[in-house]
Amino acid sequence: QVQLVESGGGLVQAGGSLRLSCAASGRTFSSYAMGWFRQAPGKEREFVAAVSWSGGNPYYADSVKGRFTISRDNAKNTVYLQMNSLKPEDTAVYYCAAGRLLLFTRSGDYWGQGTQVTVSS
């Protein structure tokens, strides 16, 4: 089993940056692809980014491509989401997820509790 805890959310102005972190516990962290999802008020949860177990094959939603970067450090059992050039429409609760087939299904088997990101105009 994998347990995930997100951190790094907060309030930023449009054009600013944030780095989200997802700390994982469990002995099989490196066996899972990792991803970030978000849910804005009144909207469905949407896929944001994913990365393979090795840190390769990063994949991004069109809405964040070129602005967000996903990475992982297996030695630290941590996944990151660097968010630059933030827009008000990026405002959402961001969730970290782990799943063996996450890169294919764009969904996870394990989820964190979420961290709020608010971007002001």
Side-chain angles (χ1 to χ4, degrees):
Q1 188 177 41
V2 177
Q3 293 181 268
L4 307 171
V5 180
E6 302 96 333
S7 62
L11 174 65
V12 297
Q13 296 186 68
S17 299
L18 282 174
R19 189 179 76 160
L20 305 183
S21 298
C22 175
S25 62
R27 300 177 67 181
T28 59
F29 173 74
S30 63
S31 298
Y32 295 92
M34 303 295 297
W36 289 93
F37 299 77
R38 67 187 183 186
Q39 187 168 22
K43 298 182 67 177
E44 297 286 331
R45 184 193 68 186
E46 66 174 340
F47 169 80
V48 175
V51 65
S52 74
W53 67 270
S54 66
N57 300 313
Y59 189 85
Y60 302 93
D62 289 341
S63 60
V64 306
K65 196 172 299 180
R67 299 188 297 121
F68 291 11
T69 303
I70 187 171
S71 61
R72 68 189 296 168
D73 186 339
N74 289 345
K76 297 181 179 179
N77 290 341
T78 302
V79 180
Y80 305 96
L81 184 68
Q82 178 66 46
M83 305 185 295
N84 298 326
S85 301
L86 283 162
K87 306 174 181 179
E89 50 263 47
D90 293 319
T91 295
V93 177
Y94 283 71
Y95 297 92
C96 178
R100 189 175 66 85
L101 302 177
L102 190 148
L103 265 63
F104 300 96
T105 65
R106 297 188 185 182
S107 189
D109 300 319
Y110 304 97
W111 296 86
Q113 84 287 353
T115 185
Q116 177 71 47
V117 172
T118 303
V119 184
S120 62
S121 300

